[in-house]
Amino acid sequence: MTTSKRKFSFSISLFFIYLFIMLFSFVCLYPFLIMISGSFSTSVDTMKYGFSIVPRHFTAAAYSILLANIGSIANSYKITITVTVVGTILSLVVNSMMGFVLSRKKVKFKRFMNIYVLITMLFSGGMVPWYIICVHYLQLKNTIFALILPYVVSAWYIFLIRNYFNSVPEEMYESATMDGASDFLIFRKIYMHLATPVLATVVLFSALAFWNDWWLGLMLTDNNNLQPLQLLLRTITANIQFLQSTNASPETQKMLSQVPTQGVQMAMVIITTGPIILLYPFVQKYFVKGIMIGAVKG
Amino acid sequence: MKMNSQVLKKSSQINQQPDRKEHHKKANSTWNQIKGSKQLYIMALPAMILLFMFSYLPMFGLLIAFKQFDFSKGILGSPWMKPFYANFKILFQHNSQALFAIRNTLFLNFLFIIIGTIFALFITLLFNEIKNKSFKRITQSITFLPYFISMVVVGIFVTSLFSFDTGIINHLLTLVGLKRINFYMSPQYWPSILVIVTIWKGAGYSAVVYLATISGIDPSYYEAAEIDGATRWGQMRYISLPLLMPTVIILTLLAVGRIMNADFGLFYNVIGDMPTLYKTTDVLDTYIFRALRQTGDIGISSATGFFQSVVSFVMVLVCNKLANKYDKESSLF
């Protein structure tokens, strides 16, 4: 009697658990659905009925307006892809080399190097000196390096990799040295292969950071040719007139009056974020694995 | 055997008083060792140089807070302020904007940490109750998705929800027969909105971290509890939650260490330049950014930045000390 009662109340609470999780998932997904549908909606519908999950009248006008500006979008794509690829590779190589060095027993000044890296996690000069150093002393303003170099090294990645390398038995290194392999060869041929899960984590998180970055572009470029995608999206959002100024043709003007500026914005969101959403189902589990590696190691 | 001899060697090295000859020999061997593992030092070089450029130089650059900065003269060449703390005076004037920014930074970060953690724990425990594998996988993927979106996009999401003319919230309000609310003119709503946005973006990620911790809990605890007749609720309350606590405390401490640093991306993209909302949403990072890039007042921005850096440093040290006390493994140092 009592057990059946408990079972009953339990399944009610289970029902609410499922319901709540479903609701929260819906809330998480909702803005994405709105973006997709909003980018295909007509301005009249949006004004009259607000955004809906399914467009009332389907139109691709927002995309055709963006197509007219394919030049700047393609250029931003080029910049973002370059920055992401080069930045991620550099980040992988530089951080894992440092992690490897910090895990070697025979390195003198290891304590110094550890502290040298650690301090950057604890103390930062902040935005103002960083900006002045980058612009005034390193002369990074309006160069592609400005969008890459500041994010390459990360103390988090270095320590994550170091901890992993520390757990590799030292005999591995010793026997390879006996066989006459140089440090760099051991690093490249043995340690890089052993650490694949950790290195995959670094690659994924760093690629995501580079792809999504707008901060470096905002601070260190004012050249339209160097705008990464996210910054272009920001520019369009902040300054929707960019459409009117670049397209004087009456045809476009007519289209503009039909499409909500928000529709164009949303289409732009889809274009810049699309690659992430498309890749997401495939890479998501690796991110989870990466977080687990990081979480276990502290 | 081998270990023993190593230990002996080490202790003998410590005990020996190195006379000059020994010292010379030792220095020589250090040099030889460095030469022998030359490659290792070369491999460390890129990271060391980049850290120097982008972390250490700015640290030294904090000097400008005490200078009358002149772009043409550089940091070292610029004259000192007279008195040297003059830049800081403006900062602590009665009712200054900087004080508002400090207060908002602390208050909002405090809200984010407390509410964000509680909510993340809540959905973690709910996720943990779900036994249907594919339902769990799909919903977890969906809640993790916002983590992957740039703040620029989040800003657009928020506008489409809260804008006066076409915002979804205002549309719903009119449907129910209520008056539209001009959110972008009403600072009182924004702390709550920002909390919701932070939860929306970060709860899925935190849940992944916490679920990783739960998956590391020995299943025999649950089995034993079940045999003793514990309900699911009891297991949640007396096993999952207590065993999650170390992770929660460490993550919270690390977040408290950064409480002086606002998420610039969030505030810059979600709020933007809205003087009407500064009262509740202007934080240190946006304040410094404005002074640096818009009003061009390097004196004020560098003094505020200096204050932020130093207080942050102290907070991080204290919080790490606490984390270290709580659990030796999980602090930064």
Side-chain angles (χ1 to χ4, degrees):
Chain A
M1 186 63 187
T2 45
T3 48
S4 72
K5 206 175 175 184
R6 184 188 288 158
K7 224 174 185 174
F8 177 67
S9 73
F10 174 61
S11 62
I12 282 189
S13 62
L14 203 60
F15 169 77
F16 278 109
I17 287 173
Y18 273 82
L19 187 71
F20 186 86
I21 290 289
M22 258 154 70
L23 268 178
F24 183 61
S25 303
F26 178 72
V27 168
C28 285
L29 202 57
Y30 183 68
F32 295 97
L33 300 176
I34 290 298
M35 287 299 131
I36 297 171
S37 123
S39 70
F40 288 113
S41 295
T42 57
S43 61
V44 183
D45 284 349
T46 323
M47 275 307 196
K48 210 165 161 190
Y49 308 107
F51 296 108
S52 53
I53 294 181
V54 181
R56 279 161 204 273
H57 298 94
F58 185 88
T59 168
Y63 290 93
S64 53
I65 287 183
L66 286 179
L67 205 63
N69 288 277
I70 193 79
S72 58
I73 293 172
N75 184 57
S76 288
Y77 247 100
K78 204 180 73 198
I79 297 287
T80 297
I81 291 174
T82 311
V83 165
T84 306
V85 171
V86 176
T88 307
I89 292 172
L90 275 180
S91 170
L92 172 70
V93 173
V94 171
N95 287 314
S96 58
M97 285 199 305
M98 190 70 189
F100 178 70
V101 173
L102 291 180
S103 74
R104 291 305 90 216
K105 284 212 174 68
K106 64 173 174 181
V107 175
K108 295 265 163 187
F109 317 118
K110 201 169 85 179
R111 207 180 134 70
F112 164 76
M113 286 199 263
N114 263 314
I115 293 173
Y116 183 88
V117 177
L118 179 68
I119 285 176
T120 63
M121 280 171 112
L122 308 177
F123 187 60
S124 129
M127 188 192 300
V128 183
W130 178 86
Y131 174 75
I132 289 170
I133 296 284
C134 285
V135 172
H136 196 79
Y137 291 89
L138 303 176
Q139 302 289 346
L140 285 176
K141 186 124 197 175
N142 286 332
T143 62
I144 187 94
F145 304 109
L147 303 176
I148 298 173
L149 291 183
Y151 282 177
V152 166
V153 189
S154 151
W156 283 106
Y157 296 158
I158 292 176
F159 287 142
L160 188 71
I161 296 167
R162 180 201 64 183
N163 290 350
Y164 196 86
F165 283 159
N166 271 337
S167 68
V168 175
E170 192 65 16
E171 285 79 24
M172 191 86 78
Y173 178 76
E174 278 163 11
S175 67
T177 325
M178 294 285 187
D179 292 344
S182 69
D183 284 319
F184 188 70
L185 197 71
I186 296 173
F187 163 72
R188 205 164 54 90
K189 292 279 180 198
I190 301 176
Y191 277 73
M192 288 281 265
H193 285 281
L194 287 174
T196 315
V198 179
L199 299 183
T201 309
V202 171
V203 165
L204 288 173
F205 277 93
S206 136
L208 182 69
F210 277 114
W211 185 276
N212 273 343
D213 185 61
W214 47 275
W215 156 256
L216 292 175
L218 175 76
M219 293 300 276
L220 301 177
T221 66
D222 44 28
N223 177 349
N224 281 343
N225 290 327
L226 275 175
Q227 272 190 339
L229 272 180
Q230 303 297 331
L231 196 62
L232 179 71
L233 176 59
R234 235 203 95 77
T235 318
I236 293 179
T237 314
N239 185 12
I240 213 95
Q241 294 108 331
F242 123 100
L243 289 167
Q244 278 108 341
S245 63
T246 45
N247 295 289
S249 73
E251 213 183 356
T252 322
Q253 293 290 358
K254 202 178 146 205
M255 275 204 305
L256 262 180
S257 59
Q258 286 165 0
V259 174
T261 45
Q262 263 146 329
V264 175
Q265 243 179 56
M266 290 172 173
M268 195 59 202
V269 168
I270 303 294
I271 287 175
T272 57
T273 319
I276 294 181
I277 307 278
L278 288 180
L279 281 176
Y280 180 70
F282 306 104
V283 297
Q284 188 240 132
K285 64 175 178 215
Y286 298 105
F287 273 95
V288 173
K289 265 188 200 155
I291 292 170
M292 285 170 104
I293 291 171
V296 171
K297 295 277 178 193
Chain B
M1 239 330 253
K2 201 179 158 198
M3 259 222 332
N4 257 345
S5 68
Q6 263 181 350
V7 170
L8 274 178
K9 228 193 210 158
K10 236 180 197 167
S11 62
S12 70
Q13 264 175 1
I14 293 164
N15 287 335
Q16 257 171 18
Q17 289 289 346
D19 55 288
R20 201 166 284 171
K21 228 179 184 176
E22 281 279 317
H23 191 262
H24 184 71
K25 218 171 160 186
K26 215 172 166 188
N28 216 356
S29 77
T30 306
W31 178 241
N32 280 337
Q33 207 170 1
I34 290 177
K35 249 169 79 180
S37 45
K38 196 170 54 187
Q39 286 195 344
L40 283 179
Y41 296 93
I42 294 173
M43 283 161 77
L45 220 54
M48 302 279 275
I49 291 173
L50 284 169
L51 283 178
F52 182 77
M53 281 162 65
F54 296 107
S55 295
Y56 281 92
L57 284 180
M59 285 181 209
F60 300 125
L62 279 173
L63 264 185
I64 54 172
F66 304 99
K67 293 213 165 191
Q68 197 167 2
F69 184 68
D70 183 343
F71 258 102
S72 59
K73 288 178 187 150
I75 294 176
L76 290 173
S78 297
W80 293 94
M81 287 300 275
K82 280 179 201 145
F84 70 90
Y85 51 83
N87 282 330
F88 292 85
K89 263 191 189 156
I90 317 154
L91 196 61
F92 295 103
Q93 267 167 359
H94 181 63
N95 238 350
S96 79
Q97 274 228 295
L99 284 181
F100 267 104
I102 293 171
R103 201 202 58 186
N104 284 337
T105 310
L106 291 175
F107 174 66
L108 289 170
N109 271 337
F110 177 77
L111 283 187
F112 295 163
I113 293 170
I114 298 290
I115 303 178
T117 307
I118 290 173
F119 188 85
L121 271 177
F122 179 65
I123 62 160
T124 303
L125 294 175
L126 295 192
F127 270 130
N128 198 39
E129 291 306 308
I130 287 173
K131 293 289 168 268
N132 184 333
K133 277 234 166 74
S134 51
F135 180 84
K136 190 173 172 179
R137 207 187 56 231
I138 292 170
T139 47
Q140 234 197 309
S141 300
I142 293 174
T143 51
F144 191 22
L145 181 60
Y147 173 78
F148 292 80
I149 301 310
S150 90
M151 274 297 179
V152 180
V153 175
V154 175
I156 294 170
F157 285 176
V158 173
T159 326
S160 65
L161 277 173
F162 294 100
S163 89
F164 188 71
D165 304 318
T166 51
I168 291 160
I169 304 279
N170 273 324
H171 195 76
L172 289 178
L173 285 176
T174 47
L175 275 185
V176 193
L178 293 170
K179 253 193 183 160
R180 280 169 188 268
I181 300 173
N182 198 343
F183 288 101
Y184 285 91
M185 297 293 270
S186 329
Q188 70 270 26
Y189 296 113
W190 286 91
S192 331
I193 294 174
L194 288 169
V195 167
I196 292 169
V197 172
T198 320
I199 286 178
W200 179 83
K201 193 157 189 331
Y205 175 86
S206 307
V208 171
V209 174
Y210 292 144
L211 282 169
T213 314
I214 287 185
S215 71
I217 295 175
D218 190 344
S220 62
Y221 286 134
Y222 293 104
E223 284 155 20
E226 228 158 87
I227 290 166
D228 288 347
T231 56
R232 297 291 305 179
W233 167 248
Q235 291 175 30
M236 193 196 275
R237 169 78 185 72
Y238 293 104
I239 301 176
S240 303
L241 203 56
L243 287 173
L244 267 176
M245 265 348 226
T247 313
V248 173
I249 289 173
I250 298 301
L251 289 182
T252 308
L253 278 173
L254 292 180
V256 171
R258 292 191 304 269
I259 201 164
M260 282 295 279
N261 297 78
D263 181 351
F264 179 78
L266 172 71
F267 288 89
Y268 187 66
N269 289 303
V270 171
I271 312 279
D273 280 319
M274 286 281 180
T276 42
L277 303 181
Y278 284 168
K279 210 177 120 203
T280 59
T281 64
D282 196 20
V283 287
L284 275 171
D285 296 74
T286 47
Y287 176 78
I288 294 169
F289 177 81
R290 268 206 320 281
L292 174 69
R293 293 300 299 275
Q294 286 164 17
T295 44
D297 196 332
I298 295 202
I300 288 188
S301 61
S302 60
T304 318
F306 183 90
F307 172 78
Q308 186 188 34
S309 287
V310 171
V311 177
S312 266
F313 182 53
V314 175
M315 290 292 294
V316 169
L317 287 188
V318 170
C319 287
N320 263 286
K321 199 91 202 155
L322 290 175
N324 195 27
K325 237 182 190 166
Y326 186 80
D327 178 8
K328 277 230 149 40
E329 291 285 292
S330 44
S331 66
L332 293 178
F333 53 92

